[in-house]
Amino acid sequence: MTGSRIVGSGSALPQRIVTNNELAERVDTSDEWIIERTGIRQRHIAGAGETTATLATAAARAALADAGLKAGDIDLIVLATATPDNTFPATATKVQHALGCKNGPAFDVGAVCSGFLYALTTADSLLATGSANRALVIGAETFSRILDWEDRTTCVLFGDGAGAVVLEAPDAANPAKAGGPGVLASRLHADGAQHDLLYVDGGPSSTQTVGHLRMKGPEVFRHAVVNLSSVLKEVIEDADVSASDIDWIVPHQANKRILDATARKLGIPDEKVVVTVDKHANTSAASVPLAFDVARKDGRIKAGDLVMFEAMGGGFTWGASLVRM
Ligand code: COA
């Protein structure tokens, strides 16, 4: 039991919206195919001057404002991304500088679409040990910059964006395990044997290029449903709750069919699943905190609710966290 509390959230999306019909002018696809196979209707795409760091900074500012805090109150920044502004330094340090804070470490976590779960669990663990008091946990991506825009099997699936939460050290007087707010349980997994099903065919040490995203979609789909159902069961068991106690599932937004199949396997009704894939498409590490912020700001997720975060991504990596708000 680690128990850090989410005290604020924020998100940011690029201004430009690209519809399925616009993509159908570039590659051999259609609005009907994309909606039927994925649930995606549109995505936001970063324009000139918009980068992973600028989106992350905007989301972080919104999260700080939501929490009623200042940048100086933060002493840890963990940023999940697979599309950093530069190979180094970490995009987290750019965000730290843009926010104007200097307390404590700032680093990136690379777990692709599961990045937010990895970042949240890392920050939660550091807060629980007393290494820091208040963290910004950010997922931010500009996947549009690593897509092969001629490959219809991948370019229609992704979008850009950022989401952030402010995480505070556990409250010893009102711990999550006794019904207070906080992280109740988290599990992370990885299986490097599945590298070739979802990867980028470039990198500084291998090709000295940035590369493009490559994916065997149907195989990823099958693994996603199996791995996500299994990690959700583990976390439910670790937290000693039952699936029916969960108020909201905030899943990684890859494909509406994966969301539906995973929830169905656990017997969780569709109304409890937060869905943003129709508007944002797959924003990788940003998708979970983005969806969480949308559902908090529109009043669905409230204080006291039990919220499950879950994601799977390239590696493969996957994980889930159960949090009492
Ligand atoms: N527009 C139109 N047709 C397309 C298309 C597109 N954008 N992309 C693929 N097709 C075609 C295929 O070529 C194939 O044609 P064929 O039958 O003539 O060979 C047909 O549509 C079916 O393709 P298939 O790949 O079997 O479809 P699918 O139902 O599995 O859906 C995905 C494809 C990618 C949407 C789906 O597999 C998926 O979402 N996978 C998981 C991806 C994911 O979640 N990735 C991120 C994890 S973090």
Side-chain angles (χ1 to χ4, degrees):
M1 297 286 177
T2 41
S4 313
R5 297 158 294 147
I6 295 178
V7 297
S9 67
S11 56
L13 289 158
Q15 276 190 346
R16 183 165 170 243
I17 292 174
V18 175
T19 63
N20 293 343
N21 282 327
E22 274 179 82
L23 289 183
E25 289 167 17
R26 296 173 72 155
V27 288
D28 182 15
T29 190
S30 66
D31 186 39
E32 296 72 38
W33 191 95
I34 301 171
I35 292 174
E36 193 201 312
R37 299 295 177 118
T38 70
I40 297 166
R41 292 173 183 275
Q42 62 172 50
R43 71 284 296 138
H44 291 250
I45 299 291
E50 286 175 319
T51 68
T52 295
T54 68
L55 293 168
T57 303
R61 284 203 177 106
L64 285 171
D66 183 47
L69 295 168
K70 295 189 183 63
D73 298 322
I74 296 296
D75 55 7
L76 170 67
I77 300 179
V78 187
L79 187 150
T81 190
T83 47
D85 279 24
N86 301 90
T87 302
F88 79 81
T91 302
T93 60
K94 281 184 100 169
V95 173
Q96 187 206 42
H97 179 63
L99 292 175
C101 56
K102 277 201 172 145
N103 311 323
F107 57 94
D108 289 359
V109 164
V112 206
C113 299
S114 329
F116 182 74
L117 271 302
Y118 271 66
L120 183 71
T121 305
T122 303
D124 178 37
S125 304
L126 286 168
L127 292 170
T129 65
S131 303
N133 289 313
R134 244 182 236 118
L136 265 171
V137 183
I138 308 168
E141 303 277 15
T142 44
F143 258 49
S144 63
R145 308 235 158 102
I146 55 164
L147 294 175
D148 175 352
W149 286 101
E150 316 235 299
D151 175 11
R152 69 173 183 172
T153 68
T154 52
C155 77
V156 304
L157 303 175
F158 296 89
D160 302 332
V165 299
V166 179
L167 205 59
E168 268 188 7
D171 179 358
N174 186 23
K177 62 182 174 196
V183 177
L184 280 162
S186 298
R187 286 266 192 146
L188 300 174
H189 291 281
D191 178 7
Q194 310 301 338
H195 171 280
D196 293 351
L197 297 183
L198 177 52
Y199 67 105
V200 168
D201 62 3
S205 186
S206 54
T207 60
Q208 298 81 58
T209 61
V210 172
H212 291 112
L213 181 147
R214 304 292 172 207
M215 177 169 69
K216 297 191 175 126
E219 284 169 69
V220 174
F221 192 109
R222 279 191 290 280
H223 281 278
V225 177
V226 172
N227 290 343
L228 290 171
S229 314
S230 134
V231 75
L232 287 171
K233 281 186 192 139
E234 287 173 353
V235 169
I236 286 169
E237 213 175 289
D238 289 351
D240 200 16
V241 298
S242 61
S244 56
D245 296 328
I246 297 170
D247 295 295
W248 296 103
I249 292 206
V250 183
H252 170 49
Q253 309 282 322
N255 182 321
K256 177 82 164 59
R257 285 155 57 213
I258 298 179
L259 271 57
D260 291 345
T262 309
R264 214 174 302 127
K265 270 194 157 214
L266 289 176
I268 292 174
D270 291 355
E271 312 85 75
K272 291 187 170 187
V273 182
V274 177
V275 180
T276 53
V277 70
D278 53 333
K279 295 196 180 69
H280 303 161
N282 180 347
T283 57
S284 185
S287 92
V288 169
L290 249 169
F292 173 68
D293 189 49
V294 167
R296 262 190 88 230
K297 300 281 163 69
D298 70 18
R300 275 180 286 172
I301 296 178
K302 298 183 193 68
D305 281 356
L306 207 48
V307 179
M308 180 73 91
F309 300 113
E310 46 108 320
M312 187 181 112
F316 288 147
T317 55
W318 65 101
S321 282
L322 187 67
V323 181
R324 172 86 61 197
M325 295 303 299

